[in-house]
Amino acid sequence: MALSIMYQKNKKLERAATIDELPKDAGFIWFDFEGATEEESELFKQHFDINGLTIEDVIHSNSRPKYKNYGEYEYLVYQKIEPDTYEAETINVLVKERIFITYHAEDIEANDEIDALAKELEEEAPGNLTPRVVAMMLLDKIVDFYTETVEAIEDKVLSFEKRHAKDKEQHKIMDDIFDLRSRLIRIKGIIVPMAELVDELERNKYMVETEHDHHYIHHIQDHMIKQKNIIKNAQELTDEIRSNYESYNNYRMNRVMQMLTLVSTVFLPLTLIAGIYGMNFEYMPELKWKYGYFTVLIVMAVMLVTSMIYFKKKKWY
């Protein structure tokens, strides 16, 4: 649980321990609520004059990516990808006059995007730093981190054949295929709604005001288009890999069934003959014939050889 307070001073972002320590002339202030306690959530409710329904959404819900303009403030929901489980993690963003608020769960993986942005701004913040500018910068950081995850899953798909070159157990191969497809579906379920949010922001005259803003949002859009194409190609590759292994498995099963059918067909007449002469009726004339046993063996051998030659010509094996 933590509340980080940062403000701009001389083109740098500095930190304040409490709200009381904030200078009155601070032009930009960033409140970052990470796994907020009840006391910090109460501060959030009372200090910023935010609509109660919005507060409920921020504190209790795990919304899809979205943008809402409430006049006095703007509300955005970003989603990042948890690198181990590929699940969505929500970052709520509020833009209000000179105030920028981020509210998110404590268990977000190292808060990589927020930490990276804070570090960058602490080193040197743009002179025209505003809450809307920082909201776009945070979105850019999240999309950049998407690239790492997307390229990592793409590498796993492309190296699939190499990783399973020596695997002989079909279920291991298919388990890996379905695991990859599950990850791709989860990643796509995050990236596609975020891409829709980016497209909405690109059309929004409040978030994208200047020519620089347009270039920036187009830069983010280009990254998301590339990521969506990578995910699409990776899904198509896993479909092809699955189809190939299913076809190969069906081929192996057909070969096994063919061999079993061949063995059954060859030995069926031999079994019939053995069954007839195994009945031991008293008046079976061949039973008392001196050369009957050897004759039956020869007939069975001839039938066996003839069957094998016939099936060989038919290319059954």
Side-chain angles (χ1 to χ4, degrees):
M1 58 184 179
L3 168 59
S4 299
I5 305 173
M6 293 159 276
Y7 62 94
Q8 187 178 24
K9 183 178 181 180
N10 299 326
K11 290 190 176 183
K12 287 188 177 181
L13 205 66
E14 300 191 5
R15 294 181 181 267
T18 64
I19 294 179
D20 296 333
E21 292 184 10
L22 286 170
K24 294 182 179 179
D25 60 346
F28 167 81
I29 306 172
W30 180 359
F31 295 90
D32 179 40
F33 292 85
E34 177 191 349
T37 62
E38 289 186 12
E39 181 181 353
E40 290 165 347
S41 294
E42 196 62 33
L43 173 67
F44 170 67
K45 293 177 183 178
Q46 296 178 357
H47 187 76
F48 299 107
D49 191 24
I50 302 294
N51 180 280
L53 293 176
T54 304
I55 290 173
E56 290 300 313
D57 283 346
V58 171
I59 295 177
H60 299 296
S61 71
N62 188 19
S63 303
R64 283 169 56 89
K66 65 181 179 181
Y67 167 81
K68 294 289 185 182
N69 188 329
Y70 291 99
E72 294 183 357
Y73 63 90
E74 291 158 277
Y75 174 41
L76 300 100
V77 177
Y78 297 155
Q79 283 189 336
K80 61 166 285 180
I81 301 173
E82 204 287 316
D84 295 324
T85 64
Y86 298 92
E87 298 291 343
E89 294 180 333
T90 300
I91 299 177
N92 297 279
V93 175
L94 289 159
V95 174
K96 181 178 172 64
E97 297 174 348
R98 62 193 179 103
I99 295 173
F100 180 70
I101 304 169
T102 50
Y103 192 106
H104 52 91
E106 185 178 14
D107 58 356
I108 285 184
E109 184 70 21
N111 297 317
D112 294 328
E113 294 86 343
I114 291 177
D115 288 346
L117 177 58
K119 184 178 180 181
E120 179 181 319
L121 292 176
E122 282 177 317
E123 291 176 356
E124 184 174 2
N128 61 338
L129 193 63
T130 65
R132 289 188 179 90
V133 169
V134 179
M136 297 295 289
M137 293 176 73
L138 178 57
L139 177 61
D140 187 35
K141 290 293 181 188
I142 291 172
V143 172
D144 285 344
F145 275 78
Y146 284 170
T147 301
E148 296 180 12
T149 305
V150 169
E151 289 180 349
I153 196 74
E154 182 189 33
D155 289 341
K156 289 183 179 180
V157 173
L158 295 176
S159 64
F160 183 90
E161 297 286 352
K162 184 177 180 180
R163 288 186 287 113
H164 288 284
K166 296 182 180 180
D167 284 351
K168 295 183 179 179
E169 296 186 28
Q170 190 75 10
H171 69 88
K172 289 184 178 179
I173 297 172
M174 296 305 292
D175 285 348
D176 197 7
I177 290 174
F178 284 109
D179 180 59
L180 284 174
R181 286 183 59 79
S182 175
R183 295 182 185 187
L184 287 168
I185 290 170
R186 276 177 277 175
I187 293 173
K188 185 177 180 180
I190 298 171
I191 288 180
V192 170
M194 282 292 286
E196 292 173 355
L197 172 62
V198 172
D199 292 340
E200 182 180 353
L201 294 178
E202 193 270 337
R203 299 187 298 268
N204 189 290
K205 63 181 180 180
Y206 296 101
M207 290 297 295
V208 182
E209 297 176 326
T210 66
E211 190 67 24
H212 177 267
D213 293 340
H214 280 285
H215 286 306
Y216 202 4
I217 198 70
H218 289 158
H219 163 76
I220 296 172
Q221 280 181 318
D222 289 342
H223 282 196
M224 301 222 71
I225 290 170
K226 179 182 177 182
Q227 291 161 6
K228 287 196 294 183
N229 287 337
I230 290 174
I231 293 297
K232 180 181 177 181
N233 292 336
Q235 284 187 307
E236 290 175 354
L237 279 173
T238 55
D239 282 338
E240 292 178 8
I241 292 170
R242 184 184 65 177
S243 297
N244 287 341
Y245 275 94
E246 286 179 347
S247 298
Y248 177 65
N249 192 41
N250 290 336
Y251 168 76
R252 289 181 58 193
M253 289 296 295
N254 289 338
R255 290 291 297 169
V256 170
M257 293 302 297
Q258 189 177 36
M259 291 306 297
L260 291 174
T261 302
L262 177 62
V263 171
S264 300
T265 304
V266 168
F267 282 94
L268 184 60
L270 307 183
T271 304
L272 176 62
I273 294 173
I276 291 173
Y277 286 100
M279 291 188 292
N280 293 321
F281 286 118
E282 184 176 353
Y283 296 106
M284 291 180 67
E286 294 87 350
L287 294 179
K288 298 184 180 298
W289 183 33
K290 181 179 180 180
Y291 302 105
Y293 173 70
F294 301 102
T295 302
V296 170
L297 288 181
I298 292 171
V299 170
M300 293 173 73
V302 169
M303 293 179 67
L304 176 62
V305 172
T306 302
S307 298
M308 296 301 291
I309 292 173
Y310 174 79
F311 291 127
K312 182 67 175 177
K313 287 184 177 181
K314 292 292 185 179
K315 296 183 179 181
W316 275 38
Y317 65 95

